[in-house]
């Protein structure tokens, strides 16, 4: 892989995607909003010349095109933040994703991994009290599915900040993988979500799939590629 773009790179999941990609030795272009504050790990990587940071608003079409030019893949880790603005999920999780899809098509970037959410598309869910967030996430997913790009949707469960026991190569909990609409609860550390996103990029069998993930210390360690090889007949059945 050449250069990986990560949008929402200053967010709690996005910066971990960047950090894990840098750990793998990938060239990374971090896309962040103009006023975003970078986490210390990304500041250090930028100062060391290991990370390219591009500040832009996703609605600035020409800027977004320039930011994605020369990249081979994109991980979309943007997401609406809790706010009194109930239109935020529509603007970020649906329209913002559409802007990125259109930009990828314009510059010839084909491989896209979207970080969505467990239960995306469900109406009767407490998260929808915050601007119908799951409804708009599903719309963003649908636009990606219909884009003609080589896409993968990762739907994590409740996102945890837990880092202990997740040192590289010494994970103490395994990921529970499933096809769309199979899981409804449980959580997963953001660090593991980041690793699954990168595994998806390296796994051709992940293209065209919605993959739900949670984790548990009781589960054995298993990569996405291993799970897909054992469950190749599973078909997505998203709502």
């Amino acid at each position: 892989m050449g250069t990986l773009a990560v949008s929402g790179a200053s967010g709690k999941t996005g910066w971990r995607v960047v950090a894990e990609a840098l750990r793998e030795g990938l060239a990374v272009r971090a896309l962040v909003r103009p006023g975003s504050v970078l986490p210390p790990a990304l500041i250090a990587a930028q100062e060391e010349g290991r990370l390219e940071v591009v500040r832009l608003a996703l609605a600035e079409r020409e800027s977004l095109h320039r930011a994605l030019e020369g990249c081979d893949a994109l991980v979309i880790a943007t997401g609406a933040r809790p706010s009194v603005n109930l239109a935020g999920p529509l603007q970020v999780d649906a329209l913002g994703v559409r802007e990125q899809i259109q930009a990828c098509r314009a510059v010839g970037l084909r491989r896209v991994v979207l970080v969505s959410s467990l239960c995306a598309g469900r109406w009767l869910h407490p998260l929808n009290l915050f601007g119908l967030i799951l409804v708009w996430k599903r719309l963003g997913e649908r636009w990606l599915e219909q884009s003609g790009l080589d896409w993968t949707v990762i739907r994590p469960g409740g996102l945890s900040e837990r880092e202990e026991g997740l040192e590289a190569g010494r994970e103490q909990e395994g990921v529970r993988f499933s096809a769309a609409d199979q899981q409804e609860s449980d959580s997963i550390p953001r660090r593991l979500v980041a690793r699954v996103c990168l595994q998806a990029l390296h796994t051709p069998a992940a293209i065209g799939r919605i993959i739900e993930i949670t984790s548990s210390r009781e589960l054995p360690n298993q990569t996405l590629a291993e799970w897909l090889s054992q469950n190749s007949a599973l078909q997505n059945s998203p709502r």
Side-chain angles (χ1 to χ4, degrees):
M1 182 187 299
T3 300
L4 169 66
V6 181
S7 61
S10 63
K12 294 180 179 180
T13 300
W15 79 258
R16 288 173 168 91
V17 175
V18 173
E20 290 296 312
L22 291 174
R23 185 176 65 83
E24 288 189 8
L26 299 179
V28 184
R29 186 173 298 166
L31 279 54
V32 301
R33 294 180 299 178
S36 293
V37 177
L38 293 179
L42 269 59
I43 293 175
Q46 183 183 26
E47 292 176 346
E48 294 165 3
R50 296 187 295 115
L51 174 65
E52 181 183 0
V53 178
V54 178
R55 294 184 176 274
L56 78 164
L58 294 178
E60 298 172 355
R61 189 162 300 176
E62 292 184 2
S63 297
L64 183 56
H65 288 186
R66 287 195 298 271
L68 294 178
E69 285 178 350
C71 294
D72 297 287
L74 168 66
V75 174
I76 300 177
T78 52
R81 298 180 179 181
S83 168
V84 294
N85 177 19
L86 294 182
L90 166 62
Q91 295 166 347
V92 176
D93 296 303
L95 300 179
V97 169
R98 185 175 64 178
E99 292 284 351
Q100 294 178 76
I101 292 169
Q102 292 173 341
C104 287
R105 295 175 65 179
V107 303
L109 189 161
R110 292 201 52 80
R111 189 68 178 102
V112 178
V113 172
L114 169 64
V115 181
S116 183
S117 175
L118 216 63
C119 300
R122 299 190 184 185
W123 284 86
L124 299 178
H125 194 285
L127 282 178
N128 283 330
L129 296 175
F130 302 94
L132 298 177
I133 187 168
L134 294 177
V135 174
W136 300 128
K137 281 185 178 293
R138 180 62 190 135
L139 182 57
E141 290 182 359
R142 285 188 183 276
W143 280 333
L144 182 57
E145 291 171 50
Q146 298 165 3
S147 66
L149 301 174
D150 295 332
W151 61 270
T152 304
V153 172
I154 302 297
R155 289 182 178 175
L159 294 167
S160 164
E161 304 300 314
R162 189 169 67 254
E163 293 278 328
E164 66 272 12
L166 297 178
E167 297 87 351
R170 297 198 295 121
E171 289 84 349
Q172 296 178 10
E173 61 186 282
V175 176
R176 179 181 292 106
F177 298 99
S178 72
D181 302 322
Q182 301 300 305
Q183 301 189 58
E184 296 186 2
S185 60
D186 292 331
S187 63
I188 184 168
R190 294 178 189 271
R191 181 72 62 177
L192 288 184
V193 176
R195 291 176 184 170
V196 171
C197 288
L198 294 175
Q199 290 174 20
L201 290 175
H202 301 316
T203 308
I207 294 174
R209 289 184 175 270
I210 296 175
I211 300 165
E212 297 183 339
I213 56 173
T214 56
S215 67
S216 170
R217 293 183 182 274
E218 299 176 357
L219 292 172
N221 291 330
Q222 184 182 42
T223 67
L224 174 59
E226 291 169 342
W227 177 79
L228 285 170
S229 68
Q230 297 167 11
N231 298 272
S232 58
L234 284 179
Q235 297 293 322
N236 285 316
S237 56
R239 289 177 172 82

